[in-house]
Amino acid sequence: MSTNMTGILLEITTRCVHCGDAIAINSAVNKFWCPGCKGLTRFPNELWTMLLDEISNTAGEMSRGEARSTSIDDANTGTVRISFRKTDLHCPECKEPIAFHEGEKLTCDACGTHVFTRKVPASMGKKGFNYFINEDPYQVEEEKDDTYTRHPAEISCTNCGASIEADGSKRLVNCQHCDTDMMLPDGIWYRLNPSEKIRPWYFAWRAQMDKKPDNLEFEDIYDICCDDDKILYCIGENTDGSPALWAMTADCQLKWMNLIPADKRWPDGFAHILNFGTNK
């Protein structure tokens, strides 16, 4: 069964903390290797959570096709720059729309391309976000390997078992003991030649509401605005005292509501409204 998914198409970059070269953040993992000096830059879960919060809080007010950009500064990772666009899912190869079937492999019906997909890890989880789509699979696999060291890398000859030192300058290496040529495995080749190209990928989610339309309740409204379609956008307080953002029609039919736990950071630009509401 097809699932109606909304996606945020991402392009993310940062700078190597060792040499300053650009690093393409093509997947939601915690470790990235510089394509220049091969140094390690860490991207902790706390930073991913902040980034998800920033994007999801902004996505609710974006129209489909709209693009925005932002940046986040982190003491260990440096400045992370994010460009994102609200869009339907499209095949990375032929650019045709693709239908998401939850629980099945994501395949483009137009060209047959298999698109790498995985669920958002619980450590990064945010209500509404379900999947990462079209990440760099090599970056994801490298995240699982704790034995990485800077090049050169040592591999074993498939013929005689002797140790071969590879520096990443060429994919085909030769064993000096038995004169066997062998191709470097994908994982080793990626270690020695990290991606320099930005690969657009998605945070994708299935639209969900925290409350159903017939259960719309709120304690107070701090501020309200209306768009050209006469949709009311409200910021206020839920009946349990937690902050909330929601959209509803002029006759108070709920379109969506996001409840914001008290220990979560409010999106930039809303803090002054919250203070206004609580102090009036």
Side-chain angles (χ1 to χ4, degrees), residues 84-266:
F84 57 102
R85 178 163 56 91
K86 190 173 184 178
T87 179
D88 294 324
L89 305 180
H90 289 81
C91 174
E93 296 298 327
C94 71
K95 312 306 179 186
E96 290 295 314
I98 50 178
F100 184 89
H101 301 273
E102 193 163 9
E104 301 179 13
K105 290 184 177 180
L106 186 58
T107 303
C108 176
D109 293 333
C111 69
T113 296
H114 297 291
V115 184
F116 182 70
T117 303
R118 68 182 179 121
K119 288 187 175 182
V120 176
S123 57
M124 302 177 190
K126 178 175 174 58
K127 188 175 181 62
F129 282 94
N130 293 80
Y131 292 90
F132 296 130
I133 295 175
N134 197 40
E135 293 175 290
D136 183 339
Y138 294 133
Q139 286 189 349
V140 175
E141 286 302 312
E142 282 298 317
E143 169 69 13
K144 302 175 184 178
D145 189 350
D146 293 328
T147 64
Y148 178 83
T149 57
R150 295 188 183 187
H151 71 306
E154 288 190 359
I155 59 174
S156 296
C157 175
T158 55
N159 182 50
C160 70
S163 178
I164 303 175
E165 193 173 87
D167 63 5
S169 60
K170 54 185 179 180
R171 189 75 185 260
L172 187 68
V173 294
N174 177 265
C175 176
Q176 296 181 354
H177 296 272
C178 67
D179 200 32
T180 297
D181 290 329
M182 57 180 291
M183 294 289 291
L184 291 178
D186 287 343
I188 299 295
W189 180 250
Y190 174 76
R191 287 185 188 181
L192 302 177
N193 296 275
S195 176
E196 298 183 30
K197 185 178 179 180
I198 298 175
R199 174 192 180 113
W201 54 290
Y202 292 91
F203 286 140
W205 72 93
R206 181 178 59 247
Q208 293 179 337
M209 291 186 300
D210 295 314
K211 287 180 173 289
K212 296 184 181 298
D214 56 357
N215 289 331
L216 174 57
E217 297 177 351
F218 53 86
E219 185 68 24
D220 199 1
I221 295 180
Y222 302 158
D223 206 351
I224 190 169
C225 63
C226 183
D227 66 12
D228 293 339
D229 297 322
K230 298 183 179 180
I231 301 300
L232 302 175
Y233 297 89
C234 309
I235 181 170
E237 187 174 295
N238 189 34
T239 52
D240 64 1
S242 61
L245 297 168
W246 70 93
M248 61 184 179
T249 61
D251 58 354
C252 293
Q253 293 297 309
L254 183 68
K255 294 181 70 65
W256 54 262
M257 173 177 275
N258 287 329
L259 305 181
I260 303 176
D263 61 344
K264 290 294 185 181
R265 182 173 67 91
W266 272 83

Side-chain angles (χ1 to χ4, degrees), residues 29-99:
V29 296
N30 301 129
K31 296 182 293 185
F32 297 92
W33 287 272
C34 174
C37 73
K38 307 300 189 294
L40 174 64
T41 294
R42 297 189 179 275
F43 205 117
N45 282 335
E46 294 79 11
L47 187 55
W48 279 117
T49 299
M50 183 181 297
L51 186 149
L52 283 169
D53 284 345
E54 191 79 23
I55 292 174
S56 58
N57 288 329
T58 304
E61 63 188 42
M62 294 172 66
S63 58
R64 196 169 300 276
E66 182 179 353
R68 298 193 183 184
S69 61
T70 187
S71 62
I72 295 177
D73 292 320
D74 181 78
N76 297 313
T77 308
T79 300
V80 181
R81 303 188 185 280
I82 310 108
S83 298
F84 57 102
R85 178 163 56 91
K86 190 173 184 178
T87 179
D88 294 324
L89 305 180
H90 289 81
C91 174
E93 296 298 327
C94 71
K95 312 306 179 186
E96 290 295 314
I98 50 178

